[in-house]
Amino acid sequence: MSPTWALQNLIDIARLFESRGNRYMLSDGTLLGAVRDGQFIPWDHDTDLLVPIQDFDPVVLRDLHCEGFQITRCFGFPEDGMEFTLRRYGIDTDLFFLYPRGTGSYISSYWWDITDGTAEWIDYDFPLLEGGWIDFQEHRFRAPADPERYLSCAYGDSWRTPNDRWNWRVDPPNAATRRQRMDVAASYRAIAEYIHRGSGLRLEPGTSSSPPYVRMTPSVDRSLELWFSKSP
């Protein structure tokens, strides 16, 4: 992952989110690198953001598309566990939507089994997260107000020790796999409706060697391609 282009992606996503009143926070490996190392983790392959669902305006997806971003993956449901992956310059940024649960909050991620059209559904529980700011690579980004507490929840008390073999599915101490597997087709239909209702973007069938594949077409003369990768 090119640190230069990864940083530029974060800068532009943050700017567009702010312009629409959408909150976000650096999270996971991106926050870990910012707090522990002051830079992107050398073996990290993407960047990560938390997005409080109650603040999200889907119209920002149109803005992102106009600046060259694509959505390469989406799972979950608008009301429960939604996750997007944005891509530009060959670099992914995962958007983990943050949902309230009891006195805390949670995000979800998925491991897709392409053979049966379902995905393992993994929740990650956090305390209620207040927003703050962090300086990273000579720029200022939103982040959890207590980043060390967040990192302890996500990585355990050993988060200060680098671990290039970290497995996001099984290693996080706050991870819990649901008994219910997610129906990928049902997820896609729900997200397609949500995006169209909120931004005017419409998902339409396309062709690709990596099905299921769709083309998301705005009402203007531009198109945004979205496809599901074979594994998260």
Side-chain angles (χ1 to χ4, degrees):
M1 179 178 77
S2 165
T4 299
W5 292 118
L7 179 62
Q8 190 60 56
N9 282 355
L10 289 178
I11 292 168
D12 290 339
I13 293 170
R15 171 176 52 81
L16 293 172
F17 268 52
E18 296 283 0
S19 72
R20 294 289 184 181
N22 290 348
R23 285 193 301 149
Y24 71 92
M25 291 181 273
L26 299 189
S27 70
D28 298 273
T30 304
L31 182 64
L32 179 61
V35 173
R36 187 186 66 196
D37 308 318
Q39 62 183 5
F40 293 107
I41 297 172
W43 52 84
D44 211 353
H45 62 277
D46 61 14
T47 57
D48 307 289
L49 297 175
L50 293 180
V51 180
I53 188 63
Q54 65 270 25
D55 297 328
F56 184 66
D57 182 353
V59 77
V60 76
L61 297 174
R62 184 187 295 276
D63 303 334
L64 289 162
H65 170 53
C66 289
E67 297 210 9
F69 288 92
Q70 296 175 329
I71 298 178
T72 60
R73 189 171 63 97
C74 61
F75 286 121
F77 298 88
E79 70 279 5
D80 184 11
M82 191 163 62
E83 174 196 3
F84 287 170
T85 298
L86 301 175
R87 179 176 294 166
R88 190 177 67 168
Y89 307 137
I91 296 171
D92 289 344
T93 298
D94 289 333
L95 305 184
F96 298 104
F97 290 87
L98 188 67
Y99 293 80
R101 174 181 282 165
T103 59
S105 55
Y106 76 97
I107 61 175
S108 298
S109 195
Y110 304 88
W111 184 261
W112 181 24
D113 184 349
I114 195 171
T115 62
D116 71 357
T118 69
E120 183 180 44
W121 189 331
I122 307 167
D123 288 342
Y124 303 85
D125 289 315
F126 292 94
L128 187 64
L129 296 175
E130 299 291 338
W133 295 88
I134 191 170
D135 293 321
F136 178 51
Q137 298 286 291
E138 301 182 355
H139 293 272
R140 196 160 177 79
F141 294 98
R142 293 185 183 271
D146 188 346
E148 294 193 2
R149 184 185 184 195
Y150 176 90
L151 292 171
S152 293
C153 289
Y155 294 98
D157 294 335
S158 62
W159 63 267
R160 294 177 180 83
T161 302
N163 179 3
D164 62 358
R165 297 188 176 183
W166 179 262
N167 185 317
W168 63 267
R169 292 175 66 196
V170 299
D171 289 338
N174 62 337
T177 300
R178 298 192 189 187
R179 292 183 179 179
Q180 165 197 2
R181 292 182 64 85
M182 190 199 66
D183 183 314
V184 173
S187 167
Y188 163 70
R189 288 193 298 269
I191 291 175
E193 180 181 354
Y194 172 78
I195 289 175
H196 179 61
R197 185 173 63 247
S199 70
L201 296 168
R202 186 181 298 279
L203 301 184
E204 299 176 353
T207 58
S208 173
S209 59
S210 301
Y213 172 90
V214 299
R215 184 176 298 275
M216 186 153 58
T217 307
S219 56
V220 294
D221 188 23
R222 289 186 294 270
S223 65
L224 172 63
E225 294 182 348
L226 177 153
W227 66 92
F228 292 95
S229 58
K230 291 186 178 180
S231 62

